Amino acid sequence: MTTQSHEGTAASPHTPPPGTEGGAAGRTSRRRPNLGLDRFSGLYVWIAVIALFALWIPDTFMTQGNFRIIAGDQAITAMLAIGLIVPLAAGVFDLSIAGIMGFSVAMVSYQLSQGIGTPIAVVTTVLCGAVIGAVNGFVVVKLKVDSFIATLGMSSILLAGTYWVTDGKQITEGFTDGFLDLGSKPFLGLPLPFFYMIGVAAVMYVVLEKTPLGRYFYATGGNRQAARLAGLRVERIMFGALMTSATIAAFTGVVLAAKLGTAAPDIGPSYLLPAFSAVFLGSTQIRAGRVNVLGTLIAIYLLATGVKGLQLAGAPSFVNDLFNGLALIVAVALAARTARRT
């Protein structure tokens, strides 16, 4: 019997396995630093936008007043977008969120115009928003109506309800100084709505990113059937997500009424698309691939900074929409291009 010799064929400790010669070094040499573009592309674009307008119109753009206006004016859209994150994380749409906000503006304003005290008006309005969210949840979960259709129908109903409450006119009377202070009184040089937004964002960030409940939301939105097989009560999670978004929308409506000191019958719908745009753009940031609070805030203020800079530069009004669209495309393209490289 012959013994086959392995001499000369055994791998040396310093010899890479067959097919991997220089593999690690090759991968290292080919790997390019992406500087976090797959997660922070919007942040880089935001910095570039600030630098552009700082050089272009420094006298009007780089002022405390301008940054204060940007911070305060976007608080409403930001709160609405943060509320929208919750149902989207759970895999359901809430197209009624802007309608709930508009209806809440009308409802709290109507109560104040009838002499009802501020605390009661605020609490009943927020509770009414929660009830509307429960109705949305019932229609989606129990009646098995697609969330897109159910909340779209609710949005139309709420628009009709807003016209009914306001009688198709603006409500301008009954606002007490205490109520108006909730939306306009400055704190640390910034309007109070900015701090409400920070509070809502902080709570939702902790819930979604740091608690089991947040993981349940994302698991339900990622794969509803798998979440159900894992023991999650997905119907209850969807129901709770719609109630949460509606409650946040109602609170946002109260803040908007205090900020404006008036209630118009058509005030809600114009906020829907900006909120959705911010959430979807935000899903390419920080936690790329899923909706998240920090990414949404970056998206909100990126778009707001660009639009405000163009307004100060004297650009025509249609350029605002053009900038929003271009910023969305650029940020998403940067994130997608970097993701393909990694």
Side-chain angles (χ1 to χ4, degrees):
M1 185 176 70
T2 61
T3 304
Q4 184 177 5
S5 174
H6 296 282
E7 185 178 348
T9 63
S12 167
H14 303 289
T15 304
T20 64
E21 288 81 357
R27 286 193 299 271
T28 302
S29 62
R30 290 192 299 269
R31 185 176 298 160
R32 300 177 182 178
N34 59 37
L35 301 177
L37 284 178
D38 54 334
R39 298 176 58 203
F40 303 108
S41 58
L43 188 59
Y44 286 124
V45 174
W46 188 16
I47 294 172
V49 168
I50 293 175
L52 171 64
F53 288 114
L55 295 173
W56 186 5
I57 46 173
D59 294 338
T60 54
F61 184 79
M62 298 299 293
T63 64
Q64 289 185 355
N66 182 47
F67 290 120
R68 188 181 302 115
I69 290 172
I70 293 174
D73 286 352
Q74 295 305 310
I76 300 299
T77 304
M79 282 193 288
L80 202 65
I82 291 167
L84 192 58
I85 289 173
V86 184
L88 289 176
V92 290
F93 280 89
D94 188 358
L95 298 181
S96 67
I97 192 167
I100 296 171
M101 185 192 71
F103 181 77
S104 300
V105 172
M107 185 175 180
V108 71
S109 301
Y110 175 79
Q111 292 181 80
L112 292 171
S113 69
Q114 299 301 307
I116 297 175
T118 296
I120 296 177
V122 171
V123 171
T124 55
T125 300
V126 174
L127 289 177
C128 184
V131 171
I132 295 171
V135 173
N136 280 338
F138 175 81
V139 173
V140 171
V141 172
K142 296 298 183 181
L143 301 185
K144 306 299 181 183
V145 178
D146 183 86
S147 62
F148 191 95
I149 301 300
T151 57
L152 181 62
M154 178 59 75
S155 179
S156 182
I157 294 171
L158 290 170
L159 184 59
T162 303
Y163 272 90
W164 176 65
V165 171
T166 62
D167 196 26
K169 305 172 184 176
Q170 284 193 344
I171 299 176
T172 58
E173 299 178 351
F175 295 95
T176 63
D177 292 338
F179 179 77
L180 293 176
D181 284 345
L182 297 175
S184 59
K185 188 174 182 179
F187 178 71
L188 298 178
L190 293 169
L192 280 177
F194 176 79
F195 295 98
Y196 302 149
M197 180 270 292
I198 293 297
V200 172
V203 171
M204 295 315 304
Y205 173 81
V206 171
V207 170
L208 291 173
E209 303 291 343
K210 304 297 183 181
T211 68
L213 179 59
R215 293 192 290 271
Y216 299 160
F217 280 129
Y218 285 119
T220 301
N223 190 320
R224 193 174 301 172
Q225 186 61 29
R228 184 179 287 108
L229 293 175
L232 298 183
R233 298 183 177 181
V234 296
E235 288 80 10
R236 183 174 295 181
I237 291 170
M238 293 161 57
F239 187 96
L242 289 168
M243 277 196 67
T244 301
S245 64
T247 304
I248 293 175
F251 173 74
T252 305
V254 171
V255 176
L256 181 57
K259 182 175 183 290
L260 298 177
T262 185
D266 57 350
I267 197 171
S270 62
Y271 284 86
L272 183 62
L273 286 181
F276 266 97
S277 296
V279 172
F280 286 132
L281 175 56
S283 69
T284 69
Q285 309 300 310
I286 311 298
R287 297 284 189 176
R290 76 181 195 185
V291 294
N292 65 92
V293 173
L294 295 181
T296 298
L297 292 180
I298 290 175
I300 286 283
Y301 284 101
L302 160 63
L303 299 176
T305 302
V307 168
K308 189 63 177 178
L310 290 171
Q311 290 175 345
L312 293 174
S317 58
F318 71 83
V319 176
N320 298 343
D321 294 329
L322 178 63
F323 175 84
N324 285 340
L326 287 176
L328 179 62
I329 292 171
V330 169
V332 174
L334 284 173
R337 185 168 180 266
T338 305
R340 286 196 299 269
R341 287 182 172 183
T342 57

